[in-house]
Amino acid sequence: MEIDNFNSFNFNDSLQEGLDAMGFSKPTPIQQQAIPEILEGKDLIACAQTGTGKTAAFILPVLHKIAEKGEGKLNTLILAPTRELAIQIDQQIQGLAYFVGISSIPIYGGGDGLAWEQQKKALEHGTEIVVATPGRLIALLAGGKINLDSLEHLILDEADRMLDMGFSDDLLKIINYLPSQRQTVLFSATMPSKIRQFSKKILQSPVEINIAISKTAEGVSQMAYLAYDQQKEKLLENILSQKSYEAVVIFASTKDKVKNIFKILKRKFEVEAFHSDLDQVDREKIMSRFKNKTLKILIGTDIISRGIDVEGIELVINYDTPSDPEDYVHRVGRTARADKKGEAITFVNDKDLFKLHKIQNLIGIEIDRIPLPEGFEEGPSYNSPSKRSTSDKGNSKSKNRGKFSKNRSRKPNSKGTSTKSNSNGQPMNTGHSPQAKPKDSSGKFRARTNVKKD
């Protein structure tokens, strides 16, 4: 049954007043399904990606129950994989909890001594909700600095990410400190077998919710440039020069590559690099500038694909094609949030064509491959699985079915690009190569206006 507005949940009056004041109207699908289950005290395992409203889906029912009980004890522990996500969750709690007088504190490592002292003092004065990263919380528990005996709710956000980062044993250690009689809620962007196996250890007869995972938002225009590595720097500068973007996120595969892109771009653009070598103070300063739009371009690894929640990101650029298709979904999920529009551009080199194919299989659409701008040499060629040779069609056992492969009949021309001959022996374009030269010579990033709409 579809729930039209938040009044249907019968929240605490002060909490509902806050939702009305903040302009919350119709709950998202994950909120519609998860909130009633959490209100009823059931254990829950929910699969929902970022941008679906999942944070409010677990915060709101917890705030309601704490407000109704009114005890002022430590009631809820929320575990998150990164300090950025922990801070983000805490900020959302503070915005919603203001109206009901409930406090929260983020606990994470990597900060300076002053931040650590502030966290300890907040715990000593008492708080109803703690948002923590596993490593820092274990240090607190081992030192006897936090008592979880009164805990009623345990929430694991982005559980798949925590397991990928090797936190499985740490999570189980933490759970050993918790009361056995509690409500446990697990949110995950994906649902691999390891998550299901882990959930059996910590949840009791959970309700399962699955909200359209592995799909990108309808409002995002997805494009791909087939470009060799040596073409990427110039291509990136070309794209960023086309218009004055308010907010751009550039993803690279490694920390070192993030630093290198930063060195190149800072000569022409207002840009910052976001990586693990920065201390927490610098991270927070950079993120604050990006949120208030005084910083226009942010470069980072996948650490920011789930760890930031910034409105109005217009463009996401994948400088490297992500190896995991799910990472692509999370990266692209930074734009076109809350029914807004956005663009996502992915650079695909000759070695990463198969990654593009895996991404397309996951999201269920074909990403538009657009020509390189005027003045660029041709990039790698692409053989679409849907346009393979006639001999492949109908051969269900062909090992090349649905895969990218090099056409053995092609020979490199003098520029290092690929050609093949027609029936008269004359060289010709490959037909499906997306790198055909634009008909005009404006060099104004014309391909963007020719993107197909799904």
Side-chain angles (χ1 to χ4, degrees):
M1 180 180 71
E2 186 170 341
I3 299 174
D4 293 329
N5 57 68
F6 282 97
N7 289 305
S8 303
F9 296 123
N10 296 315
F11 282 141
N12 172 274
D13 291 342
S14 296
L15 180 58
Q16 185 60 54
E17 181 182 345
L19 290 171
D20 294 339
M22 296 171 72
F24 282 78
S25 53
K26 184 177 179 179
T28 65
I30 186 61
Q31 293 164 0
Q32 292 181 35
Q33 295 189 43
I35 288 174
E37 305 294 352
I38 298 175
L39 288 174
E40 290 185 20
K42 297 177 182 178
D43 281 8
L44 175 69
I45 179 169
C47 192
Q49 61 199 56
T50 54
T52 58
K54 65 180 176 65
T55 307
F58 60 74
I59 290 174
L60 289 173
V62 163
L63 289 175
H64 166 79
K65 291 202 277 186
I66 295 174
E68 291 290 291
K69 201 163 188 177
E71 289 185 346
K73 297 179 181 179
L74 178 52
N75 175 281
T76 301
L77 171 63
I78 302 173
L79 294 174
T82 66
R83 68 192 79 174
E84 286 75 30
L85 183 56
I87 293 170
Q88 173 189 311
I89 293 171
D90 180 66
Q91 289 172 343
Q92 292 192 45
I93 293 173
Q94 290 181 27
L96 294 166
Y98 171 80
F99 299 91
V100 288
I102 293 171
S103 63
S104 65
I105 180 70
I107 302 293
Y108 50 84
D112 56 22
L114 178 60
W116 176 228
E117 287 301 320
Q118 291 174 340
Q119 293 174 16
K120 287 196 292 184
K121 285 181 179 179
L123 288 173
E124 291 169 0
H125 284 86
T127 184
E128 287 93 344
I129 303 174
V130 168
V131 188
T133 54
R136 175 61 83 186
L137 183 60
I138 285 180
L140 282 172
L141 290 168
K145 301 294 185 181
I146 184 171
N147 189 317
L148 302 176
D149 290 346
S150 61
L151 199 80
E152 296 185 10
H153 306 100
L154 169 65
I155 299 170
L156 285 75
D157 193 16
E158 299 202 357
D160 54 342
R161 193 70 167 176
M162 284 193 277
L163 296 192
D164 286 343
M165 294 170 68
F167 283 132
S168 178
D169 290 341
D170 287 346
L171 294 174
L172 294 177
K173 286 179 185 177
I174 291 169
I175 288 169
N176 286 334
Y177 284 91
L178 308 183
S180 57
Q181 295 301 313
R182 66 174 189 276
Q183 182 181 18
T184 304
V185 174
L186 185 152
F187 274 81
S188 181
T190 59
M191 201 56 63
S193 58
K194 61 184 177 182
I195 285 292
R196 295 196 173 276
Q197 293 168 5
F198 182 78
S199 68
K200 292 177 182 178
K201 300 177 182 178
I202 65 171
L203 278 74
Q204 297 181 3
S205 304
V207 175
E208 292 193 20
I209 297 174
N210 197 325
I211 302 293
I213 64 166
S214 304
K215 301 297 177 185
T216 49
E218 293 183 4
V220 58
S221 298
Q222 300 175 67
M223 297 161 275
Y225 279 114
L226 273 62
Y228 294 106
D229 284 341
Q230 60 268 30
Q231 296 175 302
K232 288 183 178 181
E233 292 178 8
K234 183 180 176 183
L235 179 59
L236 182 60
E237 291 186 11
N238 181 283
I239 293 170
L240 295 176
S241 299
Q242 299 309 309
K243 60 178 284 190
S244 178
Y245 289 99
E246 286 297 311
V248 179
V249 177
I250 301 169
F251 288 105
S253 57
T254 66
K255 176 177 60 180
D256 290 339
K257 193 167 289 187
V258 167
K259 294 178 180 179
N260 185 58
I261 296 171
F262 169 68
K263 289 178 182 178
I264 294 166
L265 293 183
K266 71 177 182 179
R267 299 188 295 245
K268 296 183 180 179
F269 304 96
E270 182 65 31
V271 60
E272 286 288 355
F274 194 94
H275 49 76
S276 58
D277 284 350
L278 298 174
D279 62 35
Q280 187 59 28
V281 174
D282 288 337
R283 286 188 182 201
E284 291 177 11
K285 285 180 180 178
I286 290 173
M287 197 55 63
S288 176
R289 289 179 56 209
F290 191 61
K291 286 184 176 181
N292 63 32
K293 302 297 189 294
T294 58
L295 172 65
K296 307 294 186 182
I297 303 172
L298 185 66
I299 314 166
T301 60
D302 284 306
I303 192 173
I304 58 173
S305 67
R306 305 196 198 194
I308 63 170
D309 185 16
V310 178
E311 295 295 330
I313 294 177
E314 300 171 275
L315 174 64
V316 168
I317 298 177
N318 293 310
Y319 192 86
D320 300 302
T321 311
S323 298
D324 186 340
E326 291 285 358
D327 287 337
Y328 175 86
V329 174
H330 288 294
R331 290 182 182 186
V332 172
R334 298 304 93 201
T335 187
R337 297 167 73 87
D339 297 325
K340 294 182 180 179
K341 301 295 183 182
E343 295 180 350
I345 298 175
T346 301
F347 296 172
V348 186
N349 66 18
D350 51 324
K351 299 180 182 68
D352 290 342
L353 292 169
F354 75 97
K355 295 179 183 177
L356 178 62
H357 179 43
K358 286 168 63 179
I359 290 167
Q360 292 179 149
N361 279 346
L362 180 71
I363 64 178
I365 63 172
E366 186 170 354
I367 298 171
D368 289 311
R369 294 173 298 283
I370 52 180
L372 291 171
E374 183 75 15
F376 280 73
E377 297 290 340
E378 288 190 60
S381 296
Y382 170 74
N383 285 345
S384 170
S386 62
K387 300 196 179 204
R388 56 185 177 272
S389 66
T390 305
S391 61
D392 278 343
K393 296 177 181 179
N395 182 3
S396 61
K397 294 185 179 180
S398 172
K399 68 178 181 179
N400 289 325
R401 177 178 291 275
K403 294 184 178 179
F404 293 87
S405 58
K406 294 181 179 178
N407 189 322
R408 295 179 184 232
S409 66
R410 295 182 187 174
K411 298 179 180 179
N413 60 21
S414 60
K415 294 183 179 181
T417 57
S418 296
T419 63
K420 67 178 182 179
S421 301
N422 60 19
S423 57
N424 297 320
Q426 299 297 318
M428 56 181 265
N429 288 334
T430 59
H432 189 67
S433 170
Q435 311 312 4
K437 296 290 184 183
K439 292 181 180 179
D440 70 309
S441 58
S442 64
K444 297 289 186 181
F445 197 41
R446 184 177 67 82
R448 181 171 295 179
T449 64
N450 295 334
V451 176
K452 298 194 296 295
K453 299 297 182 183
D454 291 324

